[in-house]
Amino acid sequence: APAFAQDSEVNHIAVLTPEQPNDFGWNQQAAKAARAVGEALSIDVTLASGLGYGDVRPTLRELAAEGADLLIAHASGYNTTAPEIAEETGVPVAIVDRPDLMQPGLVADYTLSGHEGAYLAGVLATQMSRSATLGIVVSGEPPSWNSQSAAFAQGARASDPDIELRYSVIGPAAYADAAGARRVTDAVIAAGADVIFGQGNGSTFGILQAVETNDAPDGGKIWFIDVIGDKSSIDGGHLLSSVVWNLEPVYRAMIEDLGKGTFGTRGYSIRLEDESLYLLQSEHIPAEVWERVMEVREQIVAGEITVEPKFEAEAVRALMTAVSD
Amino acid sequence: MESLLTTPFLTALLAGSLAAGLPLLLAGLGEQMSEKAGVLNIGLEGMMLLGAYCGFLGAWSSGSLWLGFLCGMLGGLALALPMMLLCVWLGLNQIVVGIALTLSAEGLTALLHHVQFSQSYPRLPRVDTLPLPLLSEIPVLGTALFDRHPLVYLAILAVPLLAWLYRSSLLGLNLQAAGDRPAALDAAGISVIATRSLAVLFTGAMAGLGGAYLATVGAGLFVPFMTSGAGFIAIVLAMLGRGRPLWVLLGALLFGLCLSLTTALQVAGLRVPTDLVQMLPFAAVMLLLLFFGRRAALPAALTRPYRRGER
Amino acid sequence: MSAQHQGKAPPLIRFEQVTKRYPGVLANDAITLDLHAGEIHALLGENGAGKSTLIALLSGMQQPDAGRLLIDGQAVRFSSPRAALQAGIGTVYQHSALVPSLTVLENLMLGRRWWQGRRQSATRRRFTALCNDLGVRLPADALLSSLSLGERQMVEIVKALWEGRRLLILDEASAMLTSAAVSDLQRSLTRLAAKGMAILFVTHKLPEALAFGDRVSILRAGRLVASRSAADLHRRGAEQAQSEIISLMFDAPSTATAAPAPPPSFQEKAPVLRVQGLRAACGEQEPQLDGIDFSLSAGEILGVAGIDGNGQRQLAEALAGQRTTLAGRIELGGEAVQAKSVPQRMKRGLRYLTDDRLGEGSLPAFPISLNLLLKRVGDAPFWRQGVEQPREIEAYAQQTISAHNIRAPGPHTPLGSLSGGNVQKLLLARELEGQPRVVIYNKPTYGLDFQTQQLAQEAIRRQAASGVAALLISPDLDEILALSHRVAVMAEGRIVGIVNNGPDARQTVGRLVVGGTA
Amino acid sequence: MTDIPQIVGRLLQALLPLLLALACGALLLLLLERDPVSFYATIIERGLLSRLGLQESLTRSAPLLLLAAGLIVAFRAGLWNLGVDGQFLLAAVITAALAPGLAATLPPWLALPLAMLAAFAVAALWAALPAFLKARYGVNEIITTLMMTFLGISLANLLIKLPFNDPATTSPQTLTLATADRLPRLLGSTVHLGLVIALLALLLVHWAMTRTALGLRLRILGANPLTARHVGLPVTGLTFLAFGLSAGLAGLAGAVEILGVWGTVRADWNPAYGMLVIPLVFLARFHGGAVIFFVFVFAVLSIGGETAARRADLPNYFLLVLVALILVFLALTEWLSARPLMRKRG
Ligand SMILES: Nc1ncnc2c1ncn2[C@@H]1O[C@H](COP(=O)(O)OP(=O)(O)OP(=O)(O)O)[C@@H](O)[C@H]1O
Ligand SMILES: Nc1ncnc2c1ncn2[C@@H]1O[C@H](COP(=O)(O)OP(=O)(O)OP(=O)(O)O)[C@@H](O)[C@H]1O
Ligand SMILES: [Mg+2]
Ligand SMILES: [Mg+2]
């Protein structure tokens, strides 16, 4: 394998995901991007999915031995392990959420944060809310959720300083707790929210279900704003938008850097600017609202508005309190 | 902050406690009967999960919640059947079989979901409730507790019913004898195997129903591993109940209340770590045991298979 | 006193060439035996002869490997206890068949089909009636676990009578009863037989068998060796009858048939055990042990009489160290030991033979060899530096098995497959090993066959003669009077009197026992 | 001495259920339109025969063996310690929190054992409450240990998120022990010293439980606490000892996994190995040798199975079903092999 790694040509990449790539979210977007890149550059792609959050060393070592030229470890749970295996096998890895571990030629980081998109979602939600109350429901508090929750709050507040925010975590490690998600969302809706910004895995579907089966205080519809993936194909009429992460440019850049020998010298991210991050435009968004949102997008791209990502749960909660007081 | 103390929010919290507690109550009541009869059913989690899957499938494909509940019970039964066969009839180790059944239910339902639903994630329409006359008019409590799905009332009705069964029926005597001294029951001419089989099947059906409620009324959809440990919590509640259904009800409600409390605190913007709030119910029970420690006696023959004439 | 039965009518029950095997044992070997309505049939045999096995076949607990069972001349097959109950056969098993966590009445309801009601008042009425028949008073609503062993045994009998309309089986049902209760039982059984019921009665007490039985059958090593009518036996006189039975039960003619010799006269020496004002921790439902005073000299046997369940067991446990002493002193050889642990007291020569043989005295699933050493775990030469020495352990077991005539396939046999009597032989061997100074015997001979009983009593006497002091707890007054130098009587957790053994001891003790309970 | 037929019998008894379970699994694979032969071949090839895979299987076995050792102590003493997962996790967190500091100040031959000792102690302490409740009030330990697991998992997460959080990482996790400071690897492989520790611990436990006076005392307690009291064993002390040893070994499993493999613990990490090891220990009838065999089979299956599932384009969930089948068939053969005896005894 080390012989391969010295060869700057990339013929084979492998992506490791914790869950099955059919979640319309984190896992599916990675698989989709890898396949697209593979097709475009005619590279072999191995998908190792559903690996869970346990020890992926065996899989990493095996994929390295099978001749992968790049291992994309697509879970923050893998970001301590993968660099160690890169060291051991000499095969470059890409990890998430640990820019401090970057190593030229060996380890690159792509800390994904949709905060810019979430800011837009906050703007959108404020425009759409009739009760001036927004809900945020998350399955846990990993950094990528936190930065989006925070940015959503900031975007909402920028649009309307008096907006109310209702924030709730379903429970620790409640990735599959759809019933819990439903229950918590019910409560958040009962607390006045008529737009819900939801982040979760399996539990997202519980949030969706709550949104679809509850009425807003004024008897109208409740809107749902999703993250990462695009659930339009299974929408029941409440999917207002989604902060979509498109990983294709990210993976493509990694491969290019490998070829150029600059891998590991820079991190990758998703940004509004290059469309690796965008807000899904559903048919439910009125044109004038969308226009307003796009204006803000331009301002962000132009650097007139800067959105600082906040990864700490504490920071997120502080923001919620500040807003709701 | 005061703006949060609205009727809808309080109602949602209370209703949420009930919704979270109900699957625990149903499965816990089921487990209690097995335990009374001397069978420790560690496969409860699996039975709930299969019940959830079958319940959802039934409700979704037939459009009737009640058919869904029936399917859920059948799903639970389908897993209780091997438990009965292996543990009660053949006397295999209850913990081994229980864990195996849970693993198989986890694997099977996730596989089936993968094949069937992973592209479409179907969801059920809104569930109709049955407001109880008069009671449902009470502010807050009324809608939270007395404007629910009829299964909720049935589940709560099951508590006094089971309490009566254990205290005042012959079946109750048989169950207790099967758990405390099966040889005596056998000598009295009642089949220990049949008594225990009945209890195990009941457990399966109740756990399946609990799972079905979770998937249909609770979540409105099925996702893999969605019971996320509820079965094990129900086992603990059943044991803490010391054979009394009322205690299972109280435990399940306390548990649901703690979950709602977590939500309430967060929505109110209070910065309490969720992990800490989740520890509350168990920490409280452990402290109670520590300071008011008393013999939490379990049936003497719990986990022991019965074979006639064995010394 | 026996009801005559017609020779022509088929017997109520007939065993026909019935055979039952257990691994390594032929427990019942081609037994052919008749039980007639209106007849009390006493079944005798040494420990492990196969009596309980025969009963298990009749009560549906076991099925024969060969042979048939006939009722009224019809072949039947009892696949479960229910089948036997439905045929009108009620059984009191050697090991309790009641649920301790249910009340007496609930225990009696057990067995009805679950869809039938509890019929509380009807059950209570029938219970009262049966109790009256038996001449006993039992608390209907008390938890069974709160009853004494003797009371429980009466409940077992009531329960057996509940379904046993045609045949009543009693497997050593009188072992826990005082002699007064045994006479009551005898009267009731006679009355039942007179009404046309058949009764199968297992006992190790020969006089009891001769007094109750219309017919006496004897098993030896799984075979029926004799079946005699009581009339025949009585004709030859009690002495003669007993010695004939004994020689049938045991291979060799018995030498121990003579009535036990009165105990040797005993001179007071310095006490080796002195108990003063002892109060011990007792559960709510137990008699409260309080104010116990007595002393025991080397070589002395102090009998403890009284109705079972009046604190005898609590006293034994408190002395042995299994129960916390709340007040008072226990001096062993002049040293206060009330704060010492069980093994510390054991090291100082105190031994306790428990009456709960399978419940606490031994581990049925463990091999005989380890059961023999349960109280010496870690001691040389069986363990060295804490490591087991299998050869020493096996050799010791082998030697004990043969020295104490324990019927067992080998040292590795699980203790649980031994018959009740052989378990007791093993425990006796274990407690008397080494250099005891004081031994507490709790019902040392119950369930032992006649010969083993004699041997055990002989061993107790021999120990005393060699200077070992003994506390002998027994519900059997004859045994106490045959062995003891003095007799203490217990009632409700106290010693109500201590009597020197002698010609009128029986009367005095009897009076104290009754007075204590009044 | 065991003779040849007996060994063959034992092997058959262990292999037959495996084969039967694999056959059932094959049917399921056929239903899913996959080739069972190549599926199983991949498992064996990857989990057992390839150099890399074998090393992974051995590495995976280490914590499982230690957990099994702990369970053997408890189960033989009649204590149903179903809380090993909580004990494991808590000890892992403590190890991860202490190890980097220790490694920085002390030489490795001192730092690593100290970390393990701390893990052992913390886990043993965590089990002291169930032990106390059992010894003092007779509170059933199945309930208390299960509850302590729920509590332990939450507490572990709390510790990671608050006091032990590595400020350099965004997702909550403890400081990371440098690869060079971890348990040494064996003979240039990827297998770490923890495997040797685990094997030694397991064999020692097996020997102690079956061949020593202490082991016999614990077994007496396990067989019947009343007997233990009657023969004068210090029941309270033995209960604490058994719980402490059992939990301590589970803690050691956590330490070995962290010091040998992970170097750190992330929030919400819970491999829940206990739930898998518990049935294996029962099936092995608490016998050390049999446990080693079962644990290794399971490790091969989980390492090889992951690859096989990926190559067959099946979700990993399939392996859960396979493991469940194996457990059931193992239990069934156990029953069959015990039956002739049962039948004669009635
Ligand atoms: N956890 C349990 N699960 C199932 N059955 C139980 C459990 N605990 C107790 N039981 C059953 O209930 C019966 C009564 O239990 P227990 O003796 O503890 O209650 P109690 O004495 O009536 O209670 P209390 O001490 O509060 O008066 C037991 O014999 C047993 O069969
Ligand atoms: N369940 C069993 N398993 C194995 N062996 C048994 C079993 N039951 C009885 N035995 C053996 O069968 C033989 C007969 O036992 P049984 O209990 O019938 O004797 P018994 O005459 O009732 O003796 P005792 O007077 O001591 O009660 C004994 O050798 C005993 O060890
Ligand atoms: Mg009580
Ligand atoms: Mg007998």
Side-chain angles (χ1 to χ4, degrees), chain D residues 312-344:
Chain D
D313 192 24
L314 273 179
N316 274 341
Y317 313 136
F318 177 75
L319 294 180
L320 290 174
V321 182
L322 203 58
V323 170
L325 281 171
I326 291 178
L327 290 181
V328 167
F329 277 104
L330 276 173
L332 263 174
T333 12
E334 257 255 326
W335 173 75
L336 277 175
S337 66
R339 214 164 76 103
L341 193 100
M342 281 343 314
R343 197 192 283 139
K344 270 184 235 143

Side-chain angles (χ1 to χ4, degrees), chain C residues 337-356:
Chain C
V337 295
Q338 67 272 7
K340 299 256 185 281
S341 68
V342 172
Q344 283 169 330
R345 296 186 202 193
M346 225 143 60
K347 289 235 161 56
R348 287 163 176 76
L350 185 69
R351 300 296 162 81
Y352 170 37
L353 178 77
T354 175
D355 61 339
D356 192 0

Side-chain angles (χ1 to χ4, degrees), chain C residues 52 55 72 104 111 119 165 167 174 186 238 291 301 340 345 348 375 385 387 451 488:
Chain C
S52 298
I55 285 170
D72 299 327
V104 171
R119 296 193 210 141
R165 291 176 309 276
L167 171 65
S174 56
Q186 179 180 2
I301 302 176
K340 299 256 185 281
R345 296 186 202 193
R348 287 163 176 76
K375 295 195 172 178
Q385 271 87 49
V387 179
Q451 199 170 50

Side-chain angles (χ1 to χ4, degrees), chain B residues 165-174 176-177 180-181 183-190 198 306 308-311, chain C residues 60-61 79-82 85 93 96-102 106 109-114 116-118 416 418-419:
Chain B
L165 185 89
Y166 295 149
R167 205 164 1 88
S168 311
S169 78
L170 280 180
L171 189 57
L173 289 186
N174 292 354
Q176 185 164 334
D180 276 344
R181 175 112 14 133
L185 184 65
D186 194 18
I190 302 280
L198 186 82
Y306 177 70
R308 179 180 293 158
E310 187 173 273
R311 292 200 187 172
Chain C
M61 276 288 174
S79 56
S80 72
R82 177 160 211 96
L85 288 168
Y93 296 94
S96 167
L98 297 173
V99 184
S101 62
L102 295 181
E106 285 171 335
M109 294 171 194
L110 211 60
R112 246 183 270 140
R113 297 300 200 158
W114 60 270
Q116 300 170 323
R118 286 203 178 190
L418 299 190
S419 81

Side-chain angles (χ1 to χ4, degrees), chain A residues 20 47-48 50-51 53-55 57-59 61-63 65-66 77 80-81 84 88 97-98 143 173 311, chain D residues 46 52 56 60 169-171 173 176 182 185 190 261-262 264 266 268-269 303 306-307 310-311 315-317:
Chain A
Q20 291 300 322
L47 257 186
L51 298 176
Y53 302 89
D55 186 15
R57 279 173 181 74
T59 316
R61 288 195 179 110
E62 188 197 10
L63 292 170
E66 281 176 3
T80 315
T81 309
E84 291 174 15
E88 185 183 299
D97 290 347
R98 284 300 293 270
F311 293 109
Chain D
R46 162 76 180 137
L52 204 57
E56 302 291 2
R60 177 63 52 88
T169 59
T170 42
S171 51
Q173 69 181 50
T176 306
R182 296 196 194 152
R185 296 195 171 171
T190 59
V261 178
W262 284 94
T264 178
R266 277 178 303 109
D268 300 333
W269 175 68
I303 297 294
E306 196 267 303
T307 308
R310 169 153 36 85
R311 296 209 179 136
N316 274 341
Y317 313 136

Side-chain angles (χ1 to χ4, degrees), chain B residues 311, chain C residues 46-53 55 93-95 171-172 202 204 419-421 447:
Chain B
R311 292 200 187 172
Chain C
E46 68 177 316
N47 292 130
K51 304 178 294 293
S52 298
T53 305
I55 285 170
Y93 296 94
Q94 192 170 1
H95 303 289
D171 193 353
E172 302 193 29
V202 175
H204 287 299
S419 81

